Structures are given as structure tokens and as C-alpha cells.
Amino acid sequence: QVQLVESGGGLVQAGGSLRLSCRASGSIDTINAMAWYRQAPGKQRELVAVITSGDSTNYRDSVKGRFTISRDNAKNSVYLQMNSLKPEDTAVYYCNADVQIFTTRRVYWGQGTQVTVSS
């Protein structure tokens, strides 16, 4: 059983910063890509940023230059540094990990952490 636990969400004023963390635990052999998604009220969940096992990164256009994704493989963790936050960044943020356990490969999700940006 693999669990992903996020932390670091909260309330911040526009222009402020937050750092989200997500740690995977359980019987893990390898974590391939890790990612952050978000879902605002009444909207579909959308990909924010992804980082591969080789540390290649990709971001949605609206967060490029403001958000930075990183990972610590020794801690099975992924982070999202969010700067210059805007009210439109308000959402529940979810981490996601593509986990390999022996011959089984599966994507796991965290429970989500709320980020609220006030104007």
C-alpha cells in the first residue's frame, strides 16, 4: 500500500508565496514521474507541473516563471514552490506519483491541500 501525504497549503495574499510538499510512503521500488494537479471549484482537475525521474520538468503556461517543481528521491518527495501567487491559483492541489512495485506500475494520488489566494 502506498500513501501520498501533502502539506503546505494555506491562505496567502496575492503576490505571496507558498511551498507545497508531498511525501510517498509504503513498499516502493521506484517512483517514475511525479506531478502536481489542481482543481478549482466547478472546474476540472488540471495538470500544474510534472517532473520525471531524470528531473525533466514541464509546466502549464499560466504558472511558468512563477512555480518550480522539484523532488528528493531519497525522501520519495515532491515539492512545488509557488511565487507571485494570483487569485486564480486558488484551488485544491493534489500530488500524483507513478509508482513501480515489483512488476506492477500504478498512479497514486494524495488527499489534496487547499491553497487560497486573496486579492
Side-chain angles (χ1 to χ4, degrees):
Q1 184 73 9
V2 175
Q3 287 189 320
L4 273 63
V5 178
E6 299 113 333
S7 61
L11 173 64
V12 64
Q13 288 188 330
S17 297
L18 284 174
R19 185 175 188 253
L20 305 183
S21 300
C22 172
R23 184 162 188 163
S25 62
S27 301
I28 297 169
D29 288 333
T30 304
I31 299 179
N32 300 304
M34 303 184 82
W36 288 96
Y37 285 73
R38 67 186 181 188
Q39 187 167 18
K43 295 187 176 181
Q44 289 189 330
R45 191 171 297 189
E46 61 185 21
L47 177 64
V48 176
V50 60
I51 184 167
T52 69
S53 57
D55 287 338
S56 294
T57 59
N58 202 7
Y59 300 88
R60 71 181 302 105
D61 287 346
S62 62
V63 308
K64 285 180 180 177
R66 300 189 297 122
F67 291 10
T68 302
I69 189 170
S70 61
R71 63 189 287 171
D72 184 336
N73 293 327
K75 296 181 179 180
N76 288 336
S77 294
V78 62
Y79 309 97
L80 187 68
Q81 178 65 44
M82 305 185 293
N83 298 328
S84 302
L85 282 160
K86 303 176 180 180
E88 52 264 42
D89 294 318
T90 295
V92 178
Y93 284 69
Y94 300 89
C95 71
N96 161 299
D98 178 358
V99 178
Q100 184 88 30
I101 303 173
F102 297 113
T103 59
T104 300
R105 188 169 176 173
R106 177 183 165 182
V107 173
Y108 291 87
W109 290 87
Q111 81 287 353
T113 185
Q114 176 70 46
V115 171
T116 303
V117 184
S118 63
S119 58

